[in-house]
Amino acid sequence: MLANLMVGYRLDATFRALADPTRRALLARLAGGEKRVTELIRGFAMSETAAAKHLALLEAAGLVRRRRDGRHSFCTLAADPLTEAALWLRRWQRFESKRAAGLRRLFDVPQGAE
């Protein structure tokens, strides 16, 4: 029971973090590798305070790891929560409609093409 609650909490935090387009864009930038925070948030129409709140939520969900090196802070993508969410969603694929199945095929990336 406790394990189910923990997994549920992690899923809630992951989906909450992914619900915002700005946070999804930050994760997409991190898919290319570690970035300094100032580089990561460059170009977004938001204050540094707002960016810090987005990054804090991503960190709390376990999607981002942050490290400090002197005066600089660096972020790295942590994909484990995304894997857990994908596994949870796969349980429901048998209920998908034909339209959803078509969309899934459209966005599927062949193995090794990443």
Side-chain angles (χ1 to χ4, degrees), residues 71-88:
R71 294 177 40 201
H72 301 288
S73 185
F74 294 85
C75 290
T76 305
L77 177 67
D80 286 349
L82 294 173
T83 302
E84 289 175 2
L87 290 171
W88 185 86

Side-chain angles (χ1 to χ4, degrees), residues 28-69:
R29 286 185 177 185
L30 289 174
E34 181 179 71
K35 300 226 180 328
R36 206 166 78 195
V37 170
T38 53
E39 177 187 1
L40 178 62
I41 65 172
R42 188 178 299 132
F44 284 99
M46 64 180 156
S47 67
E48 286 186 24
T49 303
K53 288 179 182 180
H54 282 296
L55 288 172
L57 201 145
L58 289 168
E59 279 185 275
L63 292 162
V64 168
R65 285 191 204 101
R66 195 185 307 219
R67 71 174 181 85
R68 297 210 40 96
D69 185 4

